Amino acid sequence: FPGIAILLMFASNIKLFTDIAVKLSGPRIHTRFADVQFSTLMVAICILLALPAYASISKHEERAIAAVTDFKHGGTTMLNHHLKHTFFEQRNFYLSAMGFLIWSLVGRFRALATTGQLVRPQGGFGVRSPLSRALCVVLALVCLAVADVPLCRVHYLSTLSSHVTPRKTELLSGHAGSHCEGILEADATGVCESFCKEARELSNLRYETTMYVRDWHFMGRIAAEMFDGGRGVTQGDDRLDQLFKDRACSRVLQSVDKSNMIVNVICIISTAIALVGGLSCICLAFGEPTVANSGERTHQD
């Protein structure tokens, strides 16, 4: 946490905060051979913590595999034990790796600040007043809020392609996919009953994915609910029950990850444009005009 706070102070590029960050990042440690920055010492400590954690991850993963394949190694009890310690060591490794990255950036920012090379980005239109900077901040927030709408769909598509599409392809390419074609859930028996059960589970997973993604995107959720209302569509178990009542399981499964490709492309492009616009407005709000523009405006005054 201290490293993150110092890094944010440097990133603000406000003189008061950068001066505080320089002091908090620690003095140089003088040795007989060289001067060592405090951030360099922290980087070394993070490396020392990361290496044993990485080695322990491999050890516990190997022992967990041995517990699964050979019950002489303790079976389920030892499997849970090694999986637990694998999780703990992975957590320690990632925390150490994050500390390494943060303190490396702190050291670099400190060097830039102390040598006077940490300057605000230049670009944009003329000298900026506080009002114009505030308007840029507002416009940036608007762009980011607008980006949340297509980003919600992009998030939904990526989640479907990772968790739903592979299982759908596996089911349809199997024996049951061709054998149970055209069979309704109410008429399914034997292999087809299992096929319809897995198709319903996958449809439930798609519904859960939809709700999960909408919970992550405030503006995206509002837009999606308005779109569903305009089509007269109500998400939920009742809709799934009606689908499996009217359509064959294979047909429901084929459309479980169906989406409009043109809309998908438009959403991806719109997300990129809105994010670039928002970030550009942030740069205009906190940056400085180019030297040429500034000099020209001063000459005119």
Side-chain angles (χ1 to χ4, degrees):
F1 178 78
I4 296 176
I6 295 172
L7 186 60
L8 290 176
M9 289 182 183
F10 277 127
S12 70
N13 205 13
I14 299 174
K15 189 176 186 307
L16 174 62
F17 293 149
T18 54
D19 291 343
I20 295 174
V22 168
K23 295 183 181 298
L24 292 178
S25 58
R28 287 181 174 271
I29 302 172
H30 300 284
T31 65
R32 179 179 300 179
F33 304 101
D35 293 344
V36 180
Q37 289 190 21
F38 177 75
S39 57
T40 305
L41 178 61
M42 294 301 298
V43 167
I45 292 174
C46 290
I47 293 175
L48 290 175
L49 294 175
L51 291 177
Y54 183 78
S56 296
I57 291 171
S58 301
K59 178 186 71 175
H60 287 294
E61 286 180 344
E62 291 174 0
R63 293 184 178 180
I65 294 173
V68 173
T69 57
D70 188 354
F71 284 97
K72 293 180 180 180
H73 288 82
T76 304
T77 302
M78 293 307 298
L79 172 63
N80 292 332
H81 171 80
H82 292 304
L83 289 177
K84 180 183 70 174
H85 283 281
T86 299
F87 168 77
F88 289 149
E89 296 299 342
Q90 286 176 340
R91 177 202 61 187
N92 295 339
F93 173 75
Y94 289 126
L95 287 175
S96 300
M98 183 62 68
F100 169 83
L101 177 61
I102 289 172
W103 283 106
S104 297
L105 292 174
V106 167
R108 182 56 181 161
F109 270 109
R110 189 180 192 277
L112 292 174
T114 54
T115 56
Q117 299 181 66
L118 186 62
V119 296
R120 290 188 177 184
Q122 296 183 351
F125 310 98
V127 179
R128 293 170 209 150
S129 65
L131 178 60
S132 64
R133 293 181 186 274
L135 290 176
C136 287
V137 172
V138 172
L139 185 58
L141 295 176
V142 171
C143 288
L144 296 177
V146 171
D148 190 60
V149 176
L151 182 60
C152 179
R153 186 175 181 91
V154 174
H155 187 184
Y156 170 74
L157 291 173
S158 63
T159 306
L160 281 187
S161 63
S162 299
H163 301 285
V164 176
T165 302
R167 182 56 181 160
K168 165 201 164 182
T169 304
E170 181 182 351
L171 288 174
L172 290 176
S173 61
H175 169 71
S178 57
H179 179 71
C180 303
E181 187 174 357
I183 302 297
L184 296 174
E185 184 182 39
D187 302 329
T189 58
V191 175
C192 294
E193 184 177 3
S194 300
F195 176 78
C196 288
K197 181 180 178 180
E198 294 191 49
R200 178 174 280 273
E201 290 177 353
L202 204 58
S203 297
N204 286 328
L205 178 59
R206 187 210 64 84
Y207 168 70
E208 292 172 0
T209 299
T210 302
M211 296 297 105
Y212 162 78
V213 170
R214 290 184 181 182
D215 288 341
W216 271 90
H217 301 272
F218 177 74
M219 297 300 296
R221 180 176 70 250
I222 294 176
E225 290 174 352
M226 292 177 61
F227 181 68
D228 285 346
R231 295 185 302 159
V233 174
T234 302
Q235 301 287 346
D237 294 334
D238 293 338
R239 181 168 180 264
L240 291 179
D241 292 338
Q242 190 63 39
L243 283 175
F244 278 94
K245 181 179 179 181
D246 298 338
R247 301 180 182 179
C249 297
S250 58
R251 185 181 173 190
V252 175
L253 189 60
Q254 287 172 353
S255 61
V256 73
D257 60 346
K258 184 179 179 181
S259 60
N260 190 314
M261 182 59 66
I262 297 177
V263 175
N264 296 341
V265 173
I266 292 174
C267 286
I268 293 172
I269 296 175
S270 301
T271 302
I273 293 175
L275 290 177
V276 169
L279 295 175
S280 299
C281 289
I282 292 175
C283 291
L284 288 173
F286 296 100
E288 296 294 340
T290 58
V291 177
N293 287 341
S294 180
E296 182 181 350
R297 177 64 176 270
T298 303
H299 178 71
Q300 290 176 355
D301 291 341

